[in-house]
Amino acid sequence: MLALPHTSPVHVPVFDALRDEDLPGLQRRHLVAEDLLRRARLDGPAAVAEGVRAKARRAGRAVGVRAVLVEGARARFEAGDPEGYVRRVADAADGVTGADVIVLAQASMAPAGRLGTAGVPVLSSPRPGLAAGAAGFR
């Protein structure tokens, strides 16, 4: 059985839908650890950027990382307005300049990658993350 850790229960249906589309029959268990999200909120976007840099260094790569905090997105998310949330994220991605790639840091942001018109690839974690987990599991 593949265990899927989440920072919020809202991510469970996202991964269930992907499993149904891409990996029918995959046995999975969801583990929701909301304390991780609280910790990320305390440390802020700079901590996320430093985590990405550290991971790249361990892989032998040097990367420039710029974290962008999308004003008002969290408020839309918490108000139960997923369309408004995703639209704010997509608009922010479209406004990024000087980047080779944009990485959306949270699973809930994945739909923004399909809405925007950024001139560079926009990556998100749910589909490739689930595929990698399933490949490692089998």
Side-chain angles (χ1 to χ4, degrees), residues 75-102:
R76 295 288 87 226
F77 184 82
E78 291 175 348
D81 177 10
E83 292 84 14
Y85 165 68
V86 168
R87 180 79 261 159
R88 285 184 186 258
V89 173
D91 290 347
D94 289 348
V96 170
T97 60
D100 296 320
V101 67
I102 297 170

Side-chain angles (χ1 to χ4, degrees), residues 52 66 101-106 109 121-125:
V52 172
R66 180 174 16 138
V101 67
I102 297 170
V103 179
L104 303 176
Q106 295 173 294
M109 295 177 178
V122 179
L123 308 177
S124 62
S125 64

